[in-house]
Coordinates of all heavy atoms in Angstrom, one line a residue:
M1132 N -5.7 38.3 -11.1 CA -5.3 36.9 -10.5 C -5.8 37.0 -9.0 O -5.7 38.0 -8.3 CB -3.7 36.8 -10.4 CG -3.4 35.4 -10.0 SD -1.5 35.1 -9.9 CE -1.3 34.9 -11.7
P1133 N -6.4 35.9 -8.6 CA -6.9 35.8 -7.2 C -5.8 35.9 -6.1 O -4.7 35.6 -6.5 CB -7.7 34.5 -7.1 CG -7.2 33.7 -8.2 CD -6.7 34.6 -9.3
E1134 N -6.1 36.4 -5.0 CA -5.0 36.4 -3.9 C -4.8 34.9 -3.5 O -5.7 34.0 -3.4 CB -5.6 37.1 -2.8 CG -4.6 37.2 -1.6 CD -5.0 37.9 -0.3 OE1 -6.2 38.0 -0.1 OE2 -4.2 38.3 0.4
V1135 N -3.5 34.7 -3.4 CA -3.0 33.3 -3.0 C -2.5 33.5 -1.6 O -1.6 34.3 -1.3 CB -2.0 32.7 -3.9 CG1 -1.5 31.5 -3.4 CG2 -2.6 32.6 -5.3
V1136 N -3.1 32.7 -0.6 CA -2.6 32.8 0.8 C -2.1 31.4 1.3 O -2.8 30.3 1.0 CB -3.7 33.2 1.7 CG1 -3.4 33.2 3.1 CG2 -4.3 34.6 1.4
V1137 N -1.0 31.3 1.9 CA -0.4 30.1 2.4 C -0.1 30.1 3.9 O 0.7 31.1 4.3 CB 0.9 29.7 1.7 CG1 1.4 28.3 2.0 CG2 0.8 29.8 0.2
Y1138 N -0.7 29.4 4.7 CA -0.4 29.2 6.1 C 0.8 28.3 6.2 O 0.8 27.2 5.7 CB -1.6 28.7 6.9 CG -2.7 29.7 7.0 CD1 -3.7 29.8 6.0 CD2 -2.9 30.6 8.0 CE1 -4.7 30.7 6.0 CE2 -3.9 31.5 8.1 CZ -4.8 31.6 7.1 OH -6.0 32.5 7.2
T1139 N 1.8 28.7 7.0 CA 3.0 28.0 7.1 C 3.6 27.9 8.5 O 3.1 28.7 9.3 CB 4.1 28.6 6.2 OG1 4.4 29.9 6.7 CG2 3.7 28.7 4.7
T1140 N 4.5 27.0 8.6 CA 5.4 27.2 9.6 C 7.0 27.2 9.2 O 7.1 26.9 8.0 CB 5.4 26.0 10.7 OG1 5.6 24.7 10.1 CG2 3.9 25.9 11.5
R1141 N 7.8 27.5 10.1 CA 9.2 27.8 9.5 C 9.9 26.3 9.1 O 10.6 26.4 8.0 CB 10.0 28.4 10.6 CG 11.2 29.2 10.1 CD 11.7 30.3 11.0 NE 13.0 30.6 10.6 CZ 14.0 31.1 11.4 NH1 13.5 31.3 12.7 NH2 15.1 31.3 11.2
F1142 N 9.8 25.4 10.0 CA 10.6 24.3 9.6 C 9.6 23.1 9.2 O 9.3 22.3 9.9 CB 11.5 23.7 10.9 CG 12.4 24.7 11.4 CD1 12.0 25.5 12.5 CD2 13.5 25.1 10.6 CE1 12.9 26.6 12.9 CE2 14.4 26.1 11.1 CZ 14.1 26.8 12.2
C1143 N 9.3 23.2 7.9 CA 8.1 22.5 7.3 C 8.5 22.2 5.9 O 8.3 23.0 5.1 CB 6.8 23.3 7.5 SG 5.5 22.6 6.5
P1144 N 8.9 20.9 5.7 CA 9.3 20.6 4.3 C 8.2 20.7 3.2 O 8.4 21.1 2.1 CB 9.7 19.2 4.4 CG 10.1 18.9 5.9 CD 9.2 19.8 6.6
Y1145 N 7.0 20.4 3.7 CA 5.8 20.5 2.8 C 5.5 22.0 2.5 O 5.2 22.3 1.4 CB 4.5 19.9 3.4 CG 4.6 18.3 3.3 CD1 4.9 17.6 4.5 CD2 4.4 17.7 2.2 CE1 4.9 16.3 4.6 CE2 4.3 16.3 2.2 CZ 4.6 15.6 3.3 OH 4.6 14.2 3.3
C1146 N 5.8 22.8 3.4 CA 5.6 24.3 3.1 C 6.7 24.8 2.1 O 6.3 25.6 1.3 CB 5.8 25.1 4.4 SG 4.6 24.7 5.8
V1147 N 7.8 24.3 2.3 CA 8.9 24.7 1.3 C 8.4 24.3 -0.1 O 8.7 25.0 -1.1 CB 10.2 24.1 1.7 CG1 11.3 24.3 0.7 CG2 10.7 24.6 3.1
R1148 N 8.0 23.1 -0.1 CA 7.7 22.5 -1.5 C 6.4 23.2 -2.1 O 6.4 23.4 -3.3 CB 7.3 21.0 -1.3 CG 8.6 20.3 -1.0 CD 8.2 18.8 -0.7 NE 8.1 18.1 -1.9 CZ 7.7 16.8 -2.0 NH1 7.5 16.0 -0.9 NH2 7.5 16.0 -3.2
A1149 N 5.5 23.5 -1.1 CA 4.3 24.4 -1.7 C 4.7 25.7 -2.2 O 4.3 26.1 -3.3 CB 3.3 24.5 -0.5
K1150 N 5.6 26.3 -1.5 CA 6.0 27.7 -1.9 C 6.8 27.6 -3.2 O 6.6 28.5 -4.1 CB 6.8 28.3 -0.8 CG 5.9 28.8 0.4 CD 6.6 29.6 1.3 CE 7.6 28.8 2.3 NZ 8.3 29.7 3.3
A1151 N 7.8 26.5 -3.3 CA 8.4 26.3 -4.5 C 7.6 26.1 -5.8 O 7.7 26.6 -6.8 CB 9.5 25.3 -4.5
L1152 N 6.6 25.3 -5.6 CA 5.6 25.0 -6.6 C 4.8 26.3 -7.1 O 4.7 26.5 -8.2 CB 4.6 24.0 -6.1 CG 3.6 23.4 -7.1 CD1 3.0 22.0 -6.6 CD2 2.4 24.3 -7.4
L1153 N 4.5 27.1 -6.1 CA 3.7 28.3 -6.5 C 4.8 29.2 -7.3 O 4.3 29.7 -8.3 CB 3.3 29.1 -5.2 CG 2.1 28.4 -4.4 CD1 1.9 29.1 -3.1 CD2 0.8 28.4 -5.3
K1154 N 6.0 29.3 -6.8 CA 6.9 30.2 -7.5 C 7.2 29.7 -8.9 O 7.2 30.5 -9.9 CB 8.2 30.3 -6.7 CG 8.0 31.2 -5.4 CD 9.2 31.2 -4.7 CE 9.0 31.9 -3.3 NZ 10.0 31.6 -2.3
R1155 N 7.3 28.4 -9.1 CA 7.6 27.9 -10.5 C 6.3 28.0 -11.4 O 6.5 27.9 -12.6 CB 8.1 26.6 -10.6 CG 7.2 25.4 -10.2 CD 7.9 24.0 -10.4 NE 7.0 22.9 -10.1 CZ 7.0 22.3 -9.0 NH1 8.0 22.5 -8.1 NH2 6.2 21.3 -8.7
N1156 N 5.2 28.3 -10.8 CA 4.0 28.5 -11.5 C 3.8 30.0 -11.7 O 2.6 30.5 -12.1 CB 2.8 27.8 -11.0 CG 2.8 26.3 -11.4 OD1 2.3 26.0 -12.4 ND2 3.3 25.5 -10.5
G1157 N 4.8 30.7 -11.4 CA 4.7 32.2 -11.7 C 4.0 33.0 -10.5 O 3.8 34.3 -10.7
I1158 N 3.6 32.3 -9.5 CA 3.1 33.0 -8.3 C 4.1 33.4 -7.2 O 4.5 32.6 -6.5 CB 1.9 32.2 -7.7 CG1 1.1 31.7 -8.7 CG2 1.2 32.9 -6.7 CD1 0.4 30.5 -8.4
T1159 N 4.6 34.7 -7.3 CA 5.6 35.0 -6.4 C 5.1 36.0 -5.3 O 5.8 36.3 -4.3 CB 6.7 35.7 -7.2 OG1 6.2 36.9 -8.0 CG2 7.4 34.8 -8.1
D1160 N 4.0 36.5 -5.5 CA 3.5 37.6 -4.5 C 2.3 37.0 -3.8 O 1.5 37.7 -3.3 CB 2.9 38.8 -5.3 CG 1.8 38.5 -6.2 OD1 1.6 37.3 -6.5 OD2 1.1 39.4 -6.7
F1161 N 2.4 35.8 -3.4 CA 1.4 35.2 -2.4 C 1.7 35.6 -1.1 O 2.8 36.1 -0.7 CB 1.6 33.5 -2.5 CG 2.8 33.0 -2.1 CD1 3.3 32.9 -0.8 CD2 3.8 32.7 -3.1 CE1 4.6 32.4 -0.6 CE2 5.0 32.2 -2.9 CZ 5.4 32.0 -1.5
T1162 N 0.6 35.7 -0.3 CA 0.7 36.1 1.1 C 1.0 34.9 2.1 O 0.3 33.9 2.1 CB -0.6 36.7 1.5 OG1 -1.0 37.8 0.7 CG2 -0.6 37.2 3.1
E1163 N 2.0 34.9 2.8 CA 2.5 33.8 3.6 C 2.1 34.2 5.1 O 2.4 35.4 5.6 CB 3.9 33.5 3.6 CG 4.4 32.5 4.4 CD 5.8 32.0 4.2 OE1 6.5 32.6 3.4 OE2 6.2 31.0 4.9
I1164 N 1.2 33.4 5.7 CA 0.9 33.7 7.1 C 1.5 32.6 8.0 O 1.0 31.4 8.1 CB -0.6 33.6 7.3 CG1 -1.3 34.6 6.3 CG2 -1.0 33.9 8.7 CD1 -2.7 34.7 6.4
P1165 N 2.6 33.0 8.8 CA 3.2 32.0 9.8 C 2.3 31.7 10.9 O 1.8 32.7 11.6 CB 4.5 32.7 10.2 CG 4.5 34.1 9.4 CD 3.2 34.3 8.8
V1166 N 2.1 30.6 11.3 CA 1.1 30.3 12.4 C 1.9 29.9 13.7 O 1.2 30.0 14.7 CB 0.1 29.1 12.0 CG1 -0.7 29.5 10.8 CG2 0.9 27.8 11.8
A1167 N 3.2 29.6 13.6 CA 4.0 29.2 14.8 C 3.9 30.4 15.7 O 4.3 31.6 15.2 CB 5.3 28.8 14.5
G1168 N 3.7 30.3 17.0 CA 3.8 31.6 17.8 C 2.5 32.4 17.7 O 2.5 33.3 18.5
S1169 N 1.6 32.0 17.0 CA 0.3 32.9 16.9 C -0.9 31.9 17.0 O -1.2 31.4 16.1 CB 0.2 33.7 15.6 OG -0.9 34.4 15.5
D1170 N -1.3 31.8 18.2 CA -2.5 30.9 18.4 C -3.7 31.5 17.6 O -4.4 30.7 17.0 CB -2.8 30.9 19.9 CG -3.8 29.7 20.1 OD1 -3.4 28.6 19.5 OD2 -4.9 29.8 20.7
Q1171 N -3.8 32.8 17.4 CA -4.9 33.5 16.6 C -4.8 33.0 15.2 O -5.9 32.6 14.6 CB -4.9 34.9 16.9 CG -6.0 35.6 16.2 CD -5.7 37.2 15.9 OE1 -4.8 37.7 16.4 NE2 -6.4 37.7 14.9
K1172 N -3.6 33.1 14.6 CA -3.4 32.7 13.2 C -3.7 31.2 13.0 O -4.3 30.8 12.1 CB -2.1 33.1 12.7 CG -1.9 34.7 12.6 CD -3.0 35.2 11.5 CE -2.8 36.6 11.4 NZ -4.0 37.2 10.7
R1173 N -3.3 30.5 14.0 CA -3.4 28.9 13.9 C -4.9 28.6 13.9 O -5.4 27.7 13.1 CB -2.6 28.2 14.9 CG -2.7 26.7 14.8 CD -1.9 26.0 15.9 NE -0.4 26.2 15.6 CZ 0.2 25.4 14.9 NH1 -0.3 24.4 14.2 NH2 1.6 25.5 14.7
Q1174 N -5.6 29.2 14.8 CA -7.1 29.1 14.9 C -7.9 29.4 13.7 O -8.7 28.8 13.3 CB -7.6 29.7 16.2 CG -7.2 29.1 17.5 CD -7.5 27.6 17.5 OE1 -8.5 27.2 17.1 NE2 -6.5 26.8 18.1
E1175 N -7.3 30.6 13.1 CA -7.9 31.1 11.9 C -7.8 30.1 10.8 O -8.7 29.7 10.0 CB -7.2 32.4 11.6 CG -7.7 32.9 10.2 CD -6.8 34.2 9.9 OE1 -7.0 35.2 10.5 OE2 -5.8 34.2 9.0
M1176 N -6.5 29.5 10.7 CA -6.2 28.4 9.6 C -7.2 27.3 9.9 O -7.7 26.7 8.8 CB -4.8 28.0 9.8 CG -4.4 27.0 8.7 SD -2.8 26.2 9.0 CE -3.1 25.0 10.2
I1177 N -7.3 26.9 11.1 CA -8.1 25.6 11.4 C -9.6 25.9 11.1 O -10.3 25.1 10.4 CB -7.9 25.1 12.8 CG1 -6.5 24.6 13.0 CG2 -8.9 24.1 13.2 CD1 -6.1 24.6 14.5
R1178 N -10.1 27.1 11.3 CA -11.5 27.5 11.1 C -11.7 27.5 9.7 O -12.7 27.0 9.1 CB -11.7 28.8 11.8 CG -13.1 29.3 11.6 CD -13.4 30.5 12.4 NE -12.4 31.7 12.2 CZ -12.4 32.5 11.0 NH1 -13.3 32.4 10.2 NH2 -11.5 33.4 10.9
L1179 N -10.8 28.2 8.8 CA -11.1 28.3 7.4 C -10.8 26.9 6.7 O -11.5 26.8 5.6 CB -10.1 29.4 6.9 CG -10.3 30.7 7.4 CD1 -9.2 31.8 6.8 CD2 -11.7 31.3 6.9
S1180 N -9.9 26.1 7.1 CA -9.5 24.9 6.3 C -10.0 23.6 6.9 O -10.2 22.7 6.3 CB -8.0 24.8 6.3 OG -7.5 24.5 7.5
G1181 N -10.4 23.6 8.2 CA -10.8 22.4 8.9 C -9.7 21.4 9.0 O -9.9 20.3 9.5
R1182 N -8.4 21.9 8.9 CA -7.3 21.0 9.0 C -6.2 21.6 10.0 O -6.2 22.8 10.3 CB -6.5 21.0 7.7 CG -7.4 20.5 6.6 CD -6.8 19.3 6.0 NE -7.5 18.9 4.7 CZ -7.0 18.8 3.6 NH1 -5.6 19.0 3.4 NH2 -7.6 18.5 2.6
H1183 N -5.4 20.8 10.5 CA -4.4 21.2 11.6 C -3.1 21.2 11.0 O -2.0 21.7 11.7 CB -4.5 20.3 12.8 CG -5.8 20.4 13.6 ND1 -7.0 20.0 13.2 CD2 -5.9 21.0 14.8 CE1 -7.9 20.3 14.1 NE2 -7.2 20.9 15.1
T1184 N -2.8 20.6 9.9 CA -1.5 20.6 9.3 C -1.2 21.9 8.4 O -2.0 22.5 7.9 CB -1.3 19.3 8.5 OG1 -2.2 19.3 7.4 CG2 -1.4 18.0 9.3
V1185 N 0.1 22.1 8.3 CA 0.6 23.2 7.4 C 1.4 22.4 6.2 O 2.0 21.4 6.5 CB 1.6 24.1 8.1 CG1 0.7 25.0 8.9 CG2 2.6 23.5 9.0
P1186 N 1.4 23.0 5.1 CA 0.8 24.2 4.7 C -0.7 24.0 4.5 O -1.2 22.9 4.2 CB 1.4 24.6 3.3 CG 1.7 23.3 2.8 CD 2.1 22.5 3.9
Q1187 N -1.5 25.2 4.5 CA -2.8 25.3 3.9 C -2.8 26.4 2.9 O -2.5 27.5 3.2 CB -3.9 25.5 5.1 CG -4.0 24.4 6.0 CD -4.4 23.1 5.3 OE1 -5.1 23.0 4.4 NE2 -3.9 21.9 5.8
V1188 N -3.3 26.0 1.8 CA -3.3 27.0 0.7 C -4.7 27.4 0.2 O -5.5 26.5 0.0 CB -2.6 26.3 -0.6 CG1 -2.5 27.3 -1.8 CG2 -1.1 25.7 -0.2
F1189 N -4.8 28.7 0.0 CA -6.0 29.2 -0.4 C -5.8 30.0 -1.8 O -4.8 30.8 -1.8 CB -6.7 30.2 0.5 CG -7.2 29.4 1.8 CD1 -6.3 29.1 2.8 CD2 -8.5 29.1 1.9 CE1 -6.7 28.5 3.9 CE2 -8.9 28.4 3.1 CZ -8.1 28.1 4.0
I1190 N -6.6 29.8 -2.7 CA -6.6 30.5 -3.9 C -7.9 31.3 -4.1 O -9.0 30.6 -4.4 CB -6.2 29.7 -5.2 CG1 -4.8 29.1 -5.1 CG2 -6.2 30.7 -6.5 CD1 -4.5 28.2 -6.2
G1191 N -8.0 32.7 -3.9 CA -9.2 33.3 -3.8 C -10.0 32.7 -2.7 O -9.6 32.5 -1.6
D1192 N -11.3 32.4 -3.0 CA -12.2 31.8 -2.0 C -12.0 30.3 -1.9 O -12.8 29.6 -1.1 CB -13.6 32.2 -2.3 CG -14.0 33.6 -2.2 OD1 -13.2 34.2 -1.4 OD2 -14.9 34.1 -2.9
T1193 N -11.1 29.7 -2.7 CA -11.0 28.2 -2.7 C -10.1 27.7 -1.8 O -8.9 28.2 -1.9 CB -10.7 27.8 -4.1 OG1 -11.7 28.2 -5.0 CG2 -10.6 26.2 -4.2
H1194 N -10.4 26.8 -0.9 CA -9.4 26.1 -0.1 C -8.9 24.9 -0.9 O -9.6 24.0 -1.2 CB -10.1 25.7 1.2 CG -9.2 24.8 2.0 ND1 -9.4 23.5 2.5 CD2 -7.8 25.0 2.3 CE1 -8.5 23.1 3.2 NE2 -7.5 23.9 3.1
V1195 N -7.6 25.1 -1.2 CA -7.0 24.0 -2.1 C -6.6 22.9 -1.2 O -6.8 21.6 -1.6 CB -5.6 24.7 -2.8 CG1 -4.9 23.4 -3.4 CG2 -6.0 25.6 -3.8
G1196 N -6.0 23.1 0.0 CA -5.5 22.0 0.8 C -4.0 22.1 1.1 O -3.6 23.4 1.1
G1197 N -3.5 21.1 1.3 CA -2.0 21.1 1.6 C -1.1 20.9 0.3 O -1.6 21.2 -0.7
F1198 N 0.2 20.6 0.5 CA 1.0 20.4 -0.6 C 0.5 19.4 -1.6 O 0.6 19.5 -2.9 CB 2.4 20.2 -0.3 CG 3.3 19.7 -1.4 CD1 3.7 20.6 -2.2 CD2 3.8 18.4 -1.5 CE1 4.5 20.2 -3.5 CE2 4.4 17.9 -2.6 CZ 4.9 18.9 -3.5
T1199 N 0.2 18.2 -1.1 CA -0.3 17.2 -1.9 C -1.4 17.6 -2.9 O -1.4 17.3 -4.1 CB -0.7 15.9 -1.0 OG1 0.3 15.7 -0.1 CG2 -1.1 14.7 -1.8
E1200 N -2.5 18.3 -2.3 CA -3.6 18.7 -3.3 C -3.0 19.8 -4.3 O -3.6 19.8 -5.4 CB -4.7 19.3 -2.4 CG -5.4 18.3 -1.5 CD -4.8 18.0 -0.1 OE1 -3.8 18.5 0.1 OE2 -5.5 17.2 0.5
L1201 N -2.1 20.6 -3.8 CA -1.7 21.6 -4.7 C -0.9 21.0 -5.9 O -1.0 21.4 -7.0 CB -0.7 22.5 -3.8 CG -0.1 23.9 -4.6 CD1 -1.2 24.7 -5.1 CD2 0.8 24.6 -3.6
R1202 N -0.1 19.9 -5.5 CA 0.6 19.3 -6.6 C -0.4 18.5 -7.6 O -0.1 18.5 -8.7 CB 1.6 18.2 -5.9 CG 2.4 17.6 -7.0 CD 3.4 16.6 -6.4 NE 2.6 15.6 -5.6 CZ 3.3 14.8 -4.8 NH1 4.5 14.8 -4.6 NH2 2.6 13.9 -4.1
N1203 N -1.5 17.9 -7.0 CA -2.4 17.3 -7.9 C -3.0 18.4 -8.7 O -3.3 17.9 -9.9 CB -3.5 16.6 -6.9 CG -2.9 15.4 -6.1 OD1 -1.9 14.9 -6.6 ND2 -3.6 14.9 -5.2
L1204 N -3.4 19.5 -8.2 CA -4.0 20.5 -9.1 C -2.9 20.9 -10.2 O -3.4 21.0 -11.3 CB -4.2 21.8 -8.3 CG -5.5 22.0 -7.5 CD1 -5.5 23.4 -7.0 CD2 -6.7 21.8 -8.4
E1205 N -1.7 21.0 -9.9 CA -0.8 21.3 -10.9 C -0.6 20.2 -12.0 O -0.7 20.5 -13.2 CB 0.7 21.5 -10.3 CG 1.8 22.0 -11.2 CD 3.1 21.9 -10.6 OE1 3.5 20.9 -9.9 OE2 3.9 22.8 -10.8
E1206 N -0.7 19.0 -11.6 CA -0.5 18.0 -12.5 C -1.7 17.7 -13.4 O -1.5 17.4 -14.5 CB -0.1 16.7 -11.7 CG 1.3 16.6 -11.2 CD 1.6 15.4 -10.4 OE1 0.7 14.6 -10.1 OE2 2.7 15.4 -9.9
S1207 N -2.8 18.1 -12.8 CA -4.1 18.0 -13.7 C -4.3 19.1 -14.6 O -5.2 19.2 -15.3 CB -5.2 17.8 -12.7 OG -5.5 18.9 -12.0
G1208 N -3.5 20.2 -14.4 CA -3.7 21.5 -15.1 C -4.7 22.3 -14.6 O -5.0 23.4 -15.0
Q1209 N -5.4 21.9 -13.5 CA -6.4 22.8 -12.8 C -5.8 24.0 -12.1 O -6.6 24.9 -11.7 CB -7.3 21.8 -11.9 CG -8.1 20.8 -12.7 CD -9.1 21.6 -13.6 OE1 -9.8 22.5 -13.2 NE2 -9.0 21.1 -14.9
L1210 N -4.6 24.0 -11.7 CA -4.0 25.1 -11.0 C -4.1 26.3 -11.9 O -4.5 27.4 -11.4 CB -2.6 24.9 -10.6 CG -1.9 26.0 -9.9 CD1 -2.6 26.3 -8.5 CD2 -0.5 25.5 -9.5
D1211 N -3.8 26.2 -13.2 CA -3.8 27.3 -14.1 C -5.3 27.9 -14.2 O -5.5 29.0 -14.2 CB -3.4 26.9 -15.4 CG -1.9 26.8 -15.6 OD1 -1.1 27.3 -14.6 OD2 -1.3 26.2 -16.5
V1212 N -6.1 26.9 -14.2 CA -7.6 27.4 -14.3 C -8.0 28.2 -13.1 O -8.5 29.3 -13.2 CB -8.6 26.1 -14.4 CG1 -10.0 26.4 -14.4 CG2 -8.0 25.3 -15.7
L1213 N -7.7 27.7 -11.8 CA -8.0 28.4 -10.7 C -7.3 29.8 -10.7 O -8.0 30.8 -10.2 CB -7.5 27.6 -9.5 CG -8.5 26.8 -8.7 CD1 -7.8 26.2 -7.5 CD2 -9.6 27.6 -8.3
L1214 N -6.1 29.8 -11.2 CA -5.4 31.2 -11.1 C -5.9 32.2 -12.1 O -5.7 33.3 -11.9 CB -3.9 30.9 -11.4 CG -3.2 30.1 -10.3 CD1 -1.7 29.7 -10.6 CD2 -3.2 31.1 -9.0
K1215 N -6.6 31.6 -13.2 CA -7.2 32.6 -14.1 C -8.5 33.3 -13.7 O -9.1 34.1 -14.2 CB -7.2 31.9 -15.4 CG -5.9 31.9 -16.2 CD -5.9 31.2 -17.5 CE -4.6 31.0 -17.9 NZ -4.4 29.7 -18.5
H1216 N -9.2 32.6 -12.7 CA -10.5 33.1 -12.2 C -10.4 34.5 -11.4 O -9.4 34.8 -10.9 CB -11.2 32.0 -11.3 CG -11.8 31.0 -12.1 ND1 -12.4 29.9 -11.5 CD2 -11.8 30.8 -13.4 CE1 -12.8 29.0 -12.4 NE2 -12.6 29.5 -13.6
Ligands
GSH1223 N1 -0.3 15.8 3.2 C1 0.1 17.0 3.8 C2 1.1 16.9 4.8 C3 1.4 18.0 5.6 C4 2.3 17.8 7.0 O1 2.4 16.7 7.4 N2 2.7 18.9 7.4 C5 3.6 18.8 8.6 C6 4.6 19.9 8.8 S1 5.7 19.8 7.2 C7 2.5 19.1 9.9 O2 1.7 20.0 9.9 N3 2.8 18.3 10.8 C8 2.0 18.5 12.1 C9 0.9 17.6 12.3 O3 0.8 16.6 11.6 O4 0.1 17.8 13.2 C10 0.4 18.0 2.7 O5 0.7 17.6 1.6 O6 0.5 19.3 2.9

């Protein structure tokens, strides 16, 4: 299974929903990178994703996006496909 990385902040409803979605799809060992308080990590997230909002989700080399894109992937069945690569 590819590595799953989620950039988050602590008080972020979309982050909570993204993490819950991953867990209900059997992904419990994802790497969470908190960006609050770390300008370096926040800049890394912006550089890799081109976005300023959290969460930002990566599956392997693929930048999925935020919670909305993650949910769209789940609903279309493409999340399972990405996770099998
Ligand atoms: N459509 C985005 C919305 C993400 C979003 O609005 N996240 C909030 C935190 S829960 C955020 O980063 N707000 C700061 C900002 O908009 O700059 C998603 O589905 O992930």
Side-chain angles (χ1 to χ4, degrees):
M1132 188 179 283
E1134 185 185 16
V1135 177
V1136 175
V1137 189
Y1138 290 86
T1139 63
T1140 59
R1141 201 161 157 203
F1142 301 105
C1143 160
Y1145 286 104
C1146 301
V1147 172
R1148 294 174 77 184
K1150 289 188 284 181
L1152 186 156
L1153 290 171
K1154 285 175 191 164
R1155 74 168 175 262
N1156 280 276
I1158 308 151
T1159 52
D1160 61 345
F1161 56 83
T1162 301
E1163 182 170 0
I1164 302 180
V1166 301
S1169 171
D1170 196 47
Q1171 185 201 339
K1172 290 297 177 193
R1173 187 177 287 276
Q1174 290 308 320
E1175 176 184 284
M1176 180 191 84
I1177 294 167
R1178 178 172 56 79
L1179 294 174
S1180 69
R1182 306 242 191 117
H1183 290 71
T1184 58
V1185 285
Q1187 292 302 325
V1188 180
F1189 292 82
I1190 299 178
D1192 292 334
T1193 303
H1194 171 230
V1195 170
F1198 168 72
T1199 306
E1200 289 89 354
L1201 185 63
R1202 185 181 55 193
N1203 289 344
L1204 271 188
E1205 182 190 42
E1206 287 175 356
S1207 68
Q1209 290 301 305
L1210 182 59
D1211 283 343
V1212 176
L1213 258 185
L1214 289 170
K1215 279 178 189 136
H1216 278 178

